[in-house]
Amino acid sequence: MNSSDGAAVVVGVDGSEPALRAVRVAAVEAIRRNRPLRVVHGFIWPLLHVPLSPPPDGPPGGGLREQAQELVANAVAEAENAAPGVRVSGEIIDGEASAVLLGEASAAAMIVLGDRGLGGFSALIVGSVAIQVTSYADCPVLVVRGTTRTDGPVVVGVDGSDVSTLAVQFAADTAVTRGADLLALHAYRHPVSTGPGDMQPLVYDEALLQRQEERVLDEALAGLGDRYPGLRVTRRAVRARAGAALAEASREAQLLVVGGQGRGEFTGLLLGSVSQSVLHHADCPVAVVPAAHG
């Protein structure tokens, strides 16, 4: 993986425990990829026109900006503890969190987020910031959720689409940096009807269908062995809903990689239904690779 462009791993922080967990993961990821780490806090209060300085009779350092500075300093220290030697910097940027992080995306190697932050309703499994950033960022976004493992494969969802091909490339790169195996998973649901009221075929050749679907994996993984001769790759084609199959595979994975929008999804939805599903149900961190990535 090329690290000569200087692009940083960017992690968003808000002082919550999920954000600090994301900082720890991001710090290790930055070391693995030989990239600097940039800790960013979106400071929304100036937009709301509230006083930022401490009140005259309040304690020193009690202003909102001072609190934000302490929050970022704590996150930087957390990163240094998690990954000694990481090149880390921190910055407070005025603006709403999603907008700030999306502004960082064009120059970032990756954005790392917790699955939810301060102020999020506990019923929302994935916070609004994570959904917005994974939907619109033009760099890979790693959402830290589920169980953080150092063993198990990197799992990538394959559906034959262009963005799926980019996800495979990212997953292979990541597996190499982690010294992990790669599991390429293709889920299919055949036979399918073509519209409401259409009849399902009563007889079909399951073995032929399996071979046809395995070709999707063959095409997506073509040339991978030449580019990564030491990478162990397992191919798996299963008859199941893609979101459910990927969530099941995530139980043993250290990372799940999906494309932001794959085949068969409405083009108006920047984050596809499968990506949304795994962000809510995966049992390991999830990386969403956009169509713009390459």
Side-chain angles (χ1 to χ4, degrees):
M1 178 171 294
N2 180 22
S3 60
S4 62
D5 59 6
V9 173
V10 175
V11 59
V13 297
D14 63 1
S16 65
E17 177 49 40
L20 286 177
R21 183 182 175 204
V23 167
R24 295 189 287 270
V25 170
V28 173
E29 199 69 28
I31 288 286
R32 285 174 176 147
R33 296 173 181 270
N34 190 26
R35 292 188 179 274
L37 177 65
R38 180 167 158 78
V39 176
V40 172
H41 173 64
F43 191 58
I44 195 171
W45 300 112
L47 278 63
L48 303 180
H49 306 291
V50 299
L52 304 181
S53 300
D57 55 349
L64 291 172
R65 192 169 293 277
E66 286 82 358
Q67 293 174 15
Q69 290 169 345
E70 182 178 2
L71 182 158
V72 170
N74 289 340
V76 167
E78 190 81 15
E80 292 171 336
N81 288 334
V86 67
R87 296 169 288 157
V88 57
S89 61
E91 185 173 357
I92 298 168
I93 302 175
D94 290 355
E96 186 272 332
S98 298
V100 166
L101 290 168
L102 289 171
E104 295 283 311
S106 61
M110 174 192 296
I111 291 177
V112 183
L113 297 170
D115 57 348
R116 59 190 178 276
L118 293 176
F121 296 102
S122 59
L124 297 177
I125 301 174
V126 177
S128 60
V129 172
I131 290 294
Q132 290 181 53
V133 175
T134 50
S135 295
Y136 295 103
D138 53 11
C139 71
V141 179
L142 175 57
V143 178
V144 180
R145 58 160 295 112
T147 303
T148 303
R149 304 180 182 90
T150 56
D151 58 353
V154 172
V155 176
V156 60
V158 175
D159 67 3
S161 64
D162 289 343
V163 71
S164 168
T165 301
L166 294 174
V168 168
Q169 178 70 50
F170 177 87
D173 285 341
T174 301
V176 169
T177 65
R178 295 181 177 215
D181 294 347
L182 178 66
L183 169 60
L185 178 61
H186 172 56
Y188 62 94
R189 298 182 65 216
H190 286 300
V192 294
S193 60
T194 57
D198 288 350
M199 296 293 291
Q200 298 276 12
L202 298 178
V203 179
Y204 57 92
D205 188 331
E206 180 68 37
L208 176 61
L209 176 61
Q210 179 78 11
R211 289 195 295 273
Q212 290 173 341
E213 297 298 337
E214 285 174 350
R215 288 195 199 104
V216 176
L217 282 169
D218 292 340
E219 292 172 2
L221 301 175
L224 209 61
D226 294 333
R227 295 195 299 274
Y228 306 96
L231 177 62
R232 294 195 300 180
V233 181
T234 301
R235 307 165 185 229
R236 186 183 301 168
V238 297
R239 188 173 172 189
R241 290 182 179 272
L246 290 166
E248 177 66 24
S250 75
R251 293 169 143 187
E252 304 296 332
Q254 59 179 280
L255 180 69
L256 176 59
V257 181
V258 293
Q261 179 180 315
R263 178 168 292 170
E265 294 165 356
F266 298 103
T267 55
L269 298 176
L270 295 186
L271 189 66
S273 59
V274 173
S275 310
Q276 289 258 14
S277 176
V278 297
L279 281 174
H280 284 82
H281 300 295
D283 189 40
C284 71
V286 176
V288 180
V289 180
H293 178 64

